[in-house]
Amino acid sequence: MEMHLDYWTTGYNGSRISYTPKGLAWLDTWGSLRYATTTAFLASVYADWSGCSAKKVETYKNFAKQQIDYALGSSGHSFLVGYGINSPKRPHHRTAHSSWADSMSVPAYHRHTLYGALVGGPDKDDSYTDDINNYINNEVACDYNAGFVGALAKLYGEYGGDPIADFKAIEEVTNDEYFVEAGINASGSNFIEIKAILNNCSGWPARMGDHLSFKYFVDITGAVKKGYTADDFTITASYNQGAAISRLLPWAEAENIYYVNVDFTKVKIYPGGQSAYKKEIQLRIAAPESMASWDHTNDYSYTGLDGVTSGKVVKTTYIPVYDAGVKVFGNEPGSSSGSSSISPVTATFDKYNPEDVSATVIYNGNTLDNIKNGTDLLVKETDYVVSDNTVTILSSYLAGKSVGKLRLTFDFSGGNDPVFTITITDSSVIPTGDLKVQAFHMNTAETVSSIAAKIRLYNTGTGDVNLSDIKLRYYYTINGEKEQQFWCDWSSAGTANVTGAFVKMKEAKSDADYYMEIGFNEASGPLSAGKSVELQVRFSKADWTNYIQTDDYSYQGTGTSYADCDKITAYLAGNLQWGIEP
């Protein structure tokens, strides 16, 4: 056992497990965290045994803590779903994704949070992509969690901890589960043919829809004035995936409002694949042939369909859906008393990258009286703005709220009052370590043939550190893939002792697709506690074509003196000590 644990920690007979730059003991591409955290569990158990070599107890315990810390986010990225900073949002897990179309791309987010699942983990360079298609790094499995849970139990016994506040399994519904999409297949002076698709995208829970129907409402006032009745209209379907269609049925007979009932009862519509979750009908409503014209544009259910042609469809609340006769989506005519709705009903706001958050409102004849946070009223034009059907909650308001869930109630004049849940995060947490970086640029022009910066690196700890154990990363966009070259023009550690390497990021960001990794060789010596080392570095493309540096992540702006720069990251023995990665 000690031979095994030594191989994972200090090494055995000159052989040692590989470590990522940020400190994960890395064995294999598939499930790298599984091996590290299970070994952490074994190390914890063995270190507690009286037969463990006394001098190795702390080594094994420290290893266990380090590996679990890595899994929980010490590198700046949690690998535990639903926990910590930058935790996985799109693990490779069919039920958490909850696709009604049996597709990894539909929807483009996960409808459920698989709390507590440990994903496979990063590659040997700490790179990781949170994507459902990335089954190598982002899959979850029982054996991934097994040893990890044992190690957590051990560490909880030593360090304690608090459960997630208000944790419960009941989730908020993030999308309409049933709805109709519709468009105009064809139209003439006295008829209209509607292409309508009935959708079952249920997920709370996913469930069978074999009693679904919808109503299409029409206004036949023009025909009545010419002496016709509802019985003179004909209802046909040029294409039908199983629905029974009615004649025109009265809704508000005194107002000449009628409807066609399209009933898919006994047709199994369920969120189980492309052909399973939706059914289509092409419904034609025609006035009598002897009636030269009939205005279908004033029909209640025609609202929002004008111009939706050529096979296109749009989601509409003016064609209500029913499950066994109970309305589950949309609104019926004449109901300013009907409920208003908003979409989406959830959003995320990051204090570090603040952006306004918007929702689309369907008023259904109601007005938005105000928006409430509990009993507190938001101030229009200060906290939020309204433009037609869009309500925007301003970032200036959200920035002042605490990290967690903010529930805003949209108070309408009638019907239900939907709740907009905004999850507030803060990705600006800077690791507390023993290093600090200051910097400024020697050329601040927008377009430059070489990027040049002065960097000052501080040892803020209480003991000396070896410069050879330190790496700095400067993030930028290459603006055209070319070979690149690096120079250190001056350094208090000795110009020849400074190294530079170009690394293409596996997951490109809008402001960074490369980083320059600056290091030091063994001859650079130690950096004493409280002391600093200065560097003057630059890099360019081999053909001297330009960079656009003003949109680069690590660009520091127009300052001409040293200032703290948390966008140049610093690592000590692979562990992030300073800065925020893009």
Side-chain angles (χ1 to χ4, degrees), residues 27-271:
L27 177 68
D28 188 66
T29 301
W30 289 81
S32 56
L33 281 169
R34 154 185 49 183
Y35 300 114
T37 57
T38 299
T39 307
F41 169 59
L42 295 175
S44 295
V45 173
Y46 188 76
D48 277 348
W49 179 48
S50 60
C52 176
S53 300
K55 62 181 180 180
K56 296 183 178 182
V57 170
E58 288 306 310
T59 297
Y60 296 161
K61 285 186 175 181
N62 289 339
F63 167 81
K65 182 178 184 300
Q66 178 194 24
Q67 298 306 298
I68 299 303
D69 281 348
Y70 185 100
L72 297 180
S74 66
S75 68
H77 194 305
S78 169
F79 294 92
L80 189 66
V81 177
Y83 176 85
I85 298 172
N86 297 326
S87 63
K89 300 295 190 297
R90 301 210 69 200
H92 185 80
H93 189 271
R94 186 181 298 262
T95 307
H97 181 215
S98 187
S99 172
W100 52 84
D102 193 23
S103 166
M104 285 192 284
S105 61
V106 179
Y109 64 97
H110 279 39
R111 296 204 287 175
H112 307 297
T113 301
L114 193 65
Y115 285 101
L118 182 72
V119 297
D123 289 325
K124 62 173 60 179
D125 60 355
D126 293 304
S127 61
Y128 165 77
T129 303
D130 184 16
D131 190 279
I132 190 173
N133 292 284
N134 183 12
Y135 43 83
I136 294 176
N137 305 113
N138 218 32
E139 192 167 35
V140 294
C142 294
D143 63 303
Y144 287 18
N145 265 69
F148 172 64
V149 171
L152 285 178
K154 170 63 178 176
L155 292 170
Y156 177 79
E158 290 191 17
Y159 296 97
D162 297 316
I164 297 174
D166 301 322
F167 183 80
K168 60 182 183 297
I170 300 171
E171 298 177 311
E172 295 179 14
V173 178
T174 61
N175 61 269
D176 292 315
E177 297 187 274
Y178 304 103
F179 57 91
V180 168
E181 298 170 296
I184 303 168
N185 234 20
S187 63
S189 61
N190 70 340
F191 79 91
I192 185 169
E193 184 173 292
I194 297 294
K195 175 181 179 179
I197 301 173
L198 177 58
N199 293 260
N200 177 356
C201 299
S202 58
W204 292 270
R207 51 200 182 275
M208 173 60 68
D210 53 5
H211 288 80
L212 297 176
S213 63
F214 66 81
K215 290 181 171 65
Y216 188 93
F217 292 92
V218 299
D219 184 339
I220 65 169
T221 298
V224 171
K225 287 181 178 179
K226 295 179 180 180
Y228 296 101
T229 69
D231 292 335
D232 295 317
F233 282 73
T234 57
I235 314 298
T236 57
S238 59
Y239 179 78
N240 186 354
Q241 290 188 296
I245 55 176
S246 72
R247 59 182 179 84
L248 283 187
L249 300 172
W251 178 262
E253 199 166 4
E255 300 171 21
N256 302 314
I257 305 299
Y258 288 75
Y259 68 93
V260 179
N261 193 53
V262 180
D263 191 353
F264 280 93
T265 295
K266 295 185 179 180
V267 177
K268 294 182 177 181
I269 310 174
Y270 58 96

Side-chain angles (χ1 to χ4, degrees), residues 167-465:
F167 183 80
K168 60 182 183 297
I170 300 171
E171 298 177 311
E172 295 179 14
V173 178
T174 61
N175 61 269
D176 292 315
E177 297 187 274
Y178 304 103
F179 57 91
V180 168
E181 298 170 296
I184 303 168
N185 234 20
S187 63
S189 61
N190 70 340
F191 79 91
I192 185 169
E193 184 173 292
I194 297 294
K195 175 181 179 179
I197 301 173
L198 177 58
N199 293 260
N200 177 356
C201 299
S202 58
W204 292 270
R207 51 200 182 275
M208 173 60 68
D210 53 5
H211 288 80
L212 297 176
S213 63
F214 66 81
K215 290 181 171 65
Y216 188 93
F217 292 92
V218 299
D219 184 339
I220 65 169
T221 298
V224 171
K225 287 181 178 179
K226 295 179 180 180
Y228 296 101
T229 69
D231 292 335
D232 295 317
F233 282 73
T234 57
I235 314 298
T236 57
S238 59
Y239 179 78
N240 186 354
Q241 290 188 296
I245 55 176
S246 72
R247 59 182 179 84
L248 283 187
L249 300 172
W251 178 262
E253 199 166 4
E255 300 171 21
N256 302 314
I257 305 299
Y258 288 75
Y259 68 93
V260 179
N261 193 53
V262 180
D263 191 353
F264 280 93
T265 295
K266 295 185 179 180
V267 177
K268 294 182 177 181
I269 310 174
Y270 58 96
Q274 295 285 347
S275 61
Y277 79 89
K278 59 185 178 181
K279 297 299 177 185
E280 180 181 337
I281 187 170
Q282 297 175 14
L283 182 72
R284 178 174 289 224
I285 305 171
E289 291 185 8
S290 56
M291 185 175 172
S293 64
W294 166 54
D295 183 12
H296 55 259
T297 62
N298 63 353
D299 293 343
Y300 176 82
S301 292
Y302 183 83
T303 305
L305 301 185
D306 190 28
V308 184
T309 59
S310 304
K312 296 178 181 177
V313 292
V314 295
K315 184 177 177 180
T316 172
T317 60
Y318 296 93
I319 303 178
V321 179
Y322 303 81
D323 185 6
V326 177
K327 184 165 71 69
V328 292
F329 172 81
N331 299 286
E332 297 161 335
S335 61
S336 53
S337 60
S339 292
S340 304
S341 63
I342 60 173
S343 179
V345 295
T346 62
T348 300
F349 175 81
D350 185 355
K351 289 188 170 191
Y352 183 62
N353 296 297
E355 294 182 354
D356 297 341
V357 174
S358 297
T360 300
V361 176
I362 298 176
Y363 291 98
N364 279 329
N366 299 313
T367 59
L368 179 61
D369 292 341
N370 52 62
I371 299 176
K372 298 178 181 177
N373 175 14
T375 58
D376 297 332
L377 295 180
L378 275 67
V379 180
K380 191 174 182 181
E381 306 300 335
T382 299
D383 300 332
Y384 71 98
V385 294
V386 180
S387 176
D388 297 327
N389 284 59
T390 301
V391 175
T392 301
I393 311 300
L394 299 177
S395 61
S396 55
Y397 170 78
L398 296 171
K401 301 305 171 187
S402 301
V403 170
K405 291 190 181 297
L406 176 68
R407 294 177 173 84
L408 301 179
T409 301
F410 282 52
D411 187 5
F412 288 97
S413 58
N416 297 328
D417 293 331
V419 175
F420 193 24
T421 302
I422 303 173
T423 301
I424 298 178
T425 63
D426 187 349
S427 63
S428 67
V429 179
I430 302 175
T432 301
D434 293 338
L435 302 176
K436 181 174 79 169
V437 175
Q438 293 186 333
F440 69 93
H441 284 75
M442 290 149 43
N443 186 348
T444 59
E446 177 181 5
T447 303
V448 293
S449 59
S450 65
I451 294 176
K454 286 189 174 182
I455 300 172
R456 180 182 286 160
L457 170 67
Y458 286 91
N459 177 359
T460 58
T462 57
D464 295 353
V465 295

